[in-house]
Amino acid sequence: MVDEPAEVQRLLEAVEAFEAIEDDSTCAVAVSKALEAWPDYHSRLRELRQRRVLAMKEQGKTWKEIGEDLGGISAARAQQIGAGHRGAKRPSSKKATSPDN
């Protein structure tokens, strides 16, 4: 977390704050409320990133340079972000279990 921007650190600290809630019910309710709002924030963050990537391109950066700026992603992926394309969905890390378990 040391090399992360302050905004990223605050977001990670917020998740840690949820984890620190001792009462299970209170924690579950708080997390549920955050998750209800998350789709809107996720969309806003994707759109913000896209706008900033396009601004870098307009400033004359190549897709390769933009990819490097974004943490070493490929030029093709940087171009996809600029076009507003979403990445492939990650496979679920949850094991198949019954909700009654």
Side-chain angles (χ1 to χ4, degrees), residues 95-101:
K95 293 181 181 180
T97 59
S98 169
D100 295 327
N101 287 348

Side-chain angles (χ1 to χ4, degrees), residues 30-74:
V31 170
S32 292
K33 287 181 181 180
L35 288 172
E36 286 173 13
W38 180 248
D40 292 333
Y41 287 106
H42 190 248
S43 294
R44 285 175 60 186
L45 286 170
R46 273 196 322 271
E47 291 167 5
L48 175 59
R49 178 179 64 175
Q50 180 185 7
R51 286 194 309 269
R52 295 302 178 107
V53 163
L54 291 174
M56 289 189 286
K57 185 65 177 162
E58 289 176 7
Q59 294 167 13
K61 287 194 173 197
T62 66
W63 290 118
K64 181 179 180 188
E65 291 169 332
I66 293 169
E68 290 168 359
D69 287 350
L70 295 177
I73 64 172
S74 70

